[in-house]
Amino acid sequence: MTVSDPVVEEIVATISRSATEIQQGLIGRRGAVDEEGRENPTGDTQLEADVWADDLLGDRLASLEGVGQYASEERPEAVDCGPDPATEDVYAVAVDPLDGSSNLESNNAMGTIFGIYDAPLPARGETLVAAGYVLYGPITTMVIATEETVAEYELTGGERRLVERDLELPDDPVVYGFGGRVPDWTDEFESYAREIEQELKLRYGGAMIGDVNQVLTYGGIFGYPGLESRPEGKLRLQFEGNPIGYIVERAGGRSSDGEQSLLAVDPEEIHQRAPVYVGNADLIERLEDALA
């Protein structure tokens, strides 16, 4: 299966061809960039693997004819690639090169997230034409969402093999995973979490991709809430919230920042954070009621 838009398909194909190389290239790149621990634009310590994966994807995606902007969690500003992203058949690509890279030290799951926007960045999630993620697990898999469908692939040798064409959240939810330190949760969110933990099984691995993939597989809810110390939460809207929200909504679920769909949030700057909740629609509705 290929994506109908040839430019979008070339972007997706470039990321999928790069995925195996990225996973193999993590070996020997588990430490910080330098002894002082250089930080990315939002204050996270950059690992050598973060910068390497960003450079690899940035070089390859920026060279594609239909890419007008490349933006990454590791760079302070979007890179203009030549074509105007406001014109037809030219897209902006926002990437989290290594989601959950802090898991490198313990050798646990991590991934790559991408969103393809039909508008200059920063942009609302409603302007996404496709989004996806690569999960570097025991098997390297890729989930791609477009306006038509959500599909899952296995990646090997630079090729992708279709596993499921029309991926949908199961109707009966099974798992949940919530981020942030419990003492820093708001009272309203903690009350909701205590209800959910009586109903579902905890699955939280420290990388959003792994947790969201479990929600897509088994049904349930993932959330990184607004905290008492950080009401805006931790996750970045352009690189994480919007792409994951788009995927889950296309798979029949819902996304929310606690009040509305993540895709409806107006971004003010490229590294803007937002609370992120995705999962089965009834669980998200209950969450919004609890936080109201």
Side-chain angles (χ1 to χ4, degrees), residues 261-282:
S261 168
L262 289 165
L263 308 186
V265 177
D266 274 318
E268 296 180 359
E269 54 98 8
I270 201 166
H271 289 284
Q272 181 172 322
R273 300 179 192 265
V276 170
Y277 310 98
V278 294
N280 287 73
D282 59 333

Side-chain angles (χ1 to χ4, degrees), residues 103-115:
N103 276 353
L104 268 172
E105 184 175 358
S106 58
N107 193 32
N108 287 335
M110 65 197 68
T112 295
I113 308 171
F114 63 92

